[in-house]
Amino acid sequence: MAKPVVAVVGRPNVGKSTLFNKLIGRRLSIVDDTPGVTRDRIYGDAEWHGKTVMLVDTGGIEPKTDDIILSGMRMQAQLAIDTALVIIFVVDMQTGVTATDSEIAAMLQKSGKPIVLCVNKCDNIGDTPPEFYEFYNLGLGDPLAVSSVHGHGTGDLLDEVFKNLPEDAFSETEDEDTVKVAVIGKPNAGKSSLVNKIIGEDRLIVSDIAGTTRDAIDTLVQNDFGSFNFIDTAGLRRKSKIDDKIEKYSVLRAKMAIERADVCVIMIDGADGFTEQDSKVAGLALEQGKGCIIAVNKWDIVEKDGQTMDNYRKKLMNDFSFMPFAPIIFISAKTGQRLDRLFELIKYVHSQNTMRISTGKLNDILADATARVQPPSDKGKRLKIYYMTQASTCPPTFVAFCNRAELFHFSYQRYLENQIRSTFGLEGTPIRFIIRERGEK
């Protein structure tokens, strides 16, 4: 299920990062008294009453500045505001209302989003000084007194945030048979061209349905291969300078699209080759346990000889050594080369990601694997694996019950994973193992 986005914004040094860390329950943002420490947006999940939102911590906003870094931070914050469903505007009790606060308030009002005004650094419980009422002048409704250091008022703050979320913020509207596809990758890899080509060729678009994140329009496509929902193609189709310039924005967009997707098509620019950005985006898909396909785009403009594709494939297998299960396909979004094969792969990878294997078959493989290669031992104690069962799908997750979990080395897990893959395929999907000692709940 998609997580609604909530942005934490404000001028520098009002305690946004301290508040962010308190709300997500761990120290993720760097906290420092120097203004401008949080330059890029940082993301984390905040849970409240069984529901989860994605919290985005932004750099401090300086509405009028010629400083390159500060103006970059302002743009980052604006992007977070554009993507968010609710905005937490943090101000500082100790300094009172400043001219910058007023300018930011005006900027936020233009966004039309619900704004929760958080007056931070109210460290004296029960004591509301007269200066607190100054913040009504910002015209954003009732301020909430919070101490991010001590945690006072954070529950009321989250109550207000969740109250302002739209009713359908946590709902999914897609049909069960529809495969949700996120086309991800660095800017200019051809993501928008691919979706536009698919829309242009298939003609059988049922509708453009609004996604759970505002600004994201999902494109529903039906063709001979089935029903597909290409996620977040509004942002991908509208080419803006921001998309080209700010890599972090593409990572945020990718993160939100990946969360809702069944299959991720990781788009590589065939002319540029593999980059660190590709590795980051692919890592996000792997963490989420999604089905993955590596699509090398712009193959029509790559100079080729008889060995080009094989050599390129070998290099990519090395670059993506952390996900050796992902199939690689060479396409051209411009000419439509191998798009039919891409649809076939999406369907196939989805079926692999949702595959369920019976306990009987799993234990036949386990018996055969342990007979071929004995489980590891340490100081005379040998690992015994009693049985294995599949706990869940998306990705396929297996629980192995054994005598001593510490003997179950990663290398032996990898060996068992290879045995399972050689029998059942599971191409394009990660596999997870949960190790349990007998008697452990």
Side-chain angles (χ1 to χ4, degrees):
M1 187 192 287
K3 292 178 197 137
V5 175
V6 175
V8 182
V9 301
R11 61 186 169 80
N13 215 22
V14 292
K16 295 183 300 298
S17 297
T18 310
L19 177 68
F20 173 85
N21 289 339
K22 183 64 76 176
L23 295 179
I24 67 166
R26 61 199 171 101
R27 191 182 165 90
L28 188 62
S29 272
I30 302 163
V31 178
D32 195 289
D33 284 341
T34 312
V37 165
T38 312
R39 290 182 183 170
D40 298 321
R41 281 153 307 138
I42 295 168
Y43 327 108
D45 291 345
E47 190 182 340
W48 190 242
H49 296 317
K51 289 183 175 175
T52 305
V53 294
M54 188 198 292
L55 214 59
V56 183
D57 181 20
T58 63
I61 301 173
E62 291 275 15
K64 291 175 183 171
T65 179
D66 296 326
D67 184 287
I68 292 170
I69 290 175
L70 288 174
S71 59
M73 284 157 58
R74 184 181 64 222
M75 195 181 286
Q76 284 280 339
Q78 183 62 56
L79 294 170
I81 291 162
D82 291 344
T83 321
L85 289 179
V86 176
I87 297 156
I88 299 173
F89 176 28
V90 186
V91 290
D92 186 342
M93 179 71 217
Q94 292 172 8
T95 57
V97 178
T98 67
T100 302
D101 289 330
S102 301
E103 286 173 23
I104 294 170
M107 173 181 158
L108 294 178
Q109 280 172 321
K110 283 180 194 166
S111 74
K113 307 280 177 82
I115 298 150
V116 178
L117 180 58
C118 167
V119 183
N120 193 23
K121 305 185 186 176
C122 294
D123 298 335
N124 297 326
I125 315 170
D127 176 26
T128 308
E131 298 83 44
F132 177 81
Y133 300 99
E134 249 190 85
F135 292 96
Y136 278 96
N137 294 331
L138 292 172
L140 299 174
D142 295 334
L144 291 170
V146 171
S147 168
S148 55
V149 172
H150 303 296
H152 309 323
T154 51
D156 293 341
L157 179 69
L158 285 170
D159 280 340
E160 194 63 25
V161 167
F162 277 74
K163 195 169 84 182
N164 278 286
L165 286 169
E167 285 179 21
D168 62 350
F170 297 95
S171 65
E172 289 284 6
T173 53
E174 288 94 353
D175 181 4
E176 280 183 17
D177 295 331
T178 301
V179 181
K180 299 188 282 293
V181 184
V183 183
I184 58 177
K186 69 174 192 286
N188 284 338
K191 302 183 295 292
S192 49
S193 305
L194 175 67
V195 176
N196 286 337
K197 188 69 174 176
I198 288 166
I199 291 168
E201 282 193 354
D202 289 291
R203 304 288 176 200
L204 280 166
I205 304 159
V206 178
S207 62
D208 277 354
I209 51 173
T212 51
T213 2
R214 197 176 170 282
D215 264 353
I217 304 292
D218 295 359
T219 304
L220 202 59
V221 173
Q222 288 184 327
N223 57 23
D224 295 342
F225 302 98
S227 178
F228 304 88
N229 181 8
F230 285 86
I231 295 170
D232 206 0
T233 53
L236 299 174
R237 243 182 297 164
R238 279 199 302 270
K239 256 193 148 170
S240 68
K241 289 175 186 175
I242 293 166
D243 266 326
D244 293 339
K245 283 183 181 174
I246 300 180
E247 283 191 351
K248 291 287 186 299
Y249 186 43
S250 67
V251 173
L252 176 63
R253 274 231 181 267
K255 191 174 170 67
M256 292 190 298
I258 288 163
E259 289 207 340
R260 295 181 51 223
D262 298 316
V263 175
C264 295
V265 176
I266 300 154
M267 186 83 92
I268 306 292
D269 186 326
D272 290 352
F274 174 83
T275 65
E276 190 187 343
Q277 179 80 344
D278 298 319
S279 174
K280 276 184 196 168
V281 172
L284 289 173
L286 180 62
E287 276 172 30
Q288 297 279 341
K290 305 297 182 179
C292 295
I293 296 164
I294 298 163
V296 182
N297 190 28
K298 306 183 186 177
W299 197 241
D300 54 316
I301 62 168
V302 174
E303 287 185 24
K304 293 177 273 291
D305 57 34
Q307 300 295 311
T308 307
M309 190 181 281
D310 284 344
N311 291 337
Y312 209 112
R313 189 185 297 276
K314 280 176 193 166
K315 185 178 182 311
L316 279 182
M317 285 168 76
N318 185 52
D319 293 331
F320 285 98
S321 56
F322 57 93
M323 51 194 319
F325 53 81
I328 298 168
I329 182 171
F330 296 84
I331 64 167
S332 167
K334 188 177 177 184
T335 67
Q337 183 184 14
R338 297 193 188 91
L339 286 200
D340 284 0
R341 174 68 186 135
L342 180 62
F343 275 109
E344 285 172 6
L345 260 184
I346 290 168
K347 286 290 279 187
Y348 175 64
V349 164
H350 179 52
S351 72
Q352 301 289 288
N353 191 239
T354 55
M355 185 188 288
R356 199 167 270 286
I357 302 166
S358 74
T359 302
K361 286 180 181 174
L362 265 180
N363 287 292
D364 288 345
I365 291 172
L366 180 62
D368 187 46
T370 50
R372 279 193 208 173
V373 177
Q374 271 203 323
S377 63
D378 183 42
K379 294 174 185 169
K381 282 277 186 185
R382 186 167 293 284
L383 171 69
K384 284 182 188 166
I385 308 168
Y386 301 116
Y387 73 100
M388 195 185 289
T389 187
Q390 185 171 353
S392 60
T393 60
C394 303
T397 302
F398 304 103
V399 183
F401 292 88
C402 66
N403 59 339
R404 292 179 67 180
E406 72 267 18
L407 293 176
F408 210 129
H409 297 160
F410 174 75
S411 56
Y412 203 73
Q413 278 184 46
R414 177 60 59 87
Y415 164 67
L416 288 179
E417 178 182 328
N418 290 338
Q419 297 306 303
I420 292 169
R421 285 190 188 278
S422 66
T423 307
F424 296 104
L426 294 172
E427 191 179 356
T429 178
I431 290 178
R432 302 258 165 89
F433 280 99
I434 298 168
I435 312 303
R436 292 275 183 268
E437 287 186 9
R438 193 155 67 172
E440 183 187 341
K441 287 185 182 178

